[in-house]
């Protein structure tokens, strides 16, 4: 697998992932990912992307409840 930016070799390791929303911040410390050995670009594969999307979806729904209570 080659980096789409610099065409260097991608290494299977892990990377952090962060999102910031108005009512919460999420930091996942270490997700399996492909990382470029040269420029540091990170790619997540489909299972990881789907898990992150599911997590955010749950957070969106559950945080609605917490917002009402505040
Ligand atoms: Zn690269």
């Amino acid at each position: 697998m080659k980096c789409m930016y610099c065409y260097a070799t991608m290494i299977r390791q892990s990377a952090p992932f962060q999102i910031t929303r108005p009512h919460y911040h999420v930091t996942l410390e270490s997700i399996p990912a492909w990382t470029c050995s040269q420029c540091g670009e990170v790619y997540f594969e489909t299972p990881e992307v789907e898990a992150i999307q599911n997590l955010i979806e749950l957070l969106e729904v559950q945080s609605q409840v917490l917002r009402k209570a505040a």
Side-chain angles (χ1 to χ4, degrees):
M1 189 174 177
K2 299 283 181 194
C3 178
M4 65 183 285
Y5 294 101
C6 71
Y7 307 107
T9 305
M10 305 294 288
I11 302 162
R12 187 67 170 158
Q13 45 181 30
S14 62
F17 177 84
Q18 295 186 330
I19 59 157
T20 298
R21 291 286 185 272
H23 292 272
Y24 57 87
H25 310 278
V26 178
T27 301
L28 296 158
E29 301 281 353
S30 184
I31 300 174
W34 291 97
T35 307
C36 178
S37 58
Q38 189 164 279
C39 75
E41 185 64 24
V42 171
Y43 297 85
F44 296 112
E45 286 189 349
T46 307
E48 285 77 29
V49 170
E50 283 177 355
I52 292 167
Q53 282 171 344
N54 291 339
L55 191 63
I56 293 166
E57 213 168 279
L58 276 173
L59 277 167
E60 283 292 335
V61 172
Q62 296 302 316
S63 66
Q64 296 285 334
V65 177
L66 299 172
R67 261 175 250 178
K68 279 176 205 158

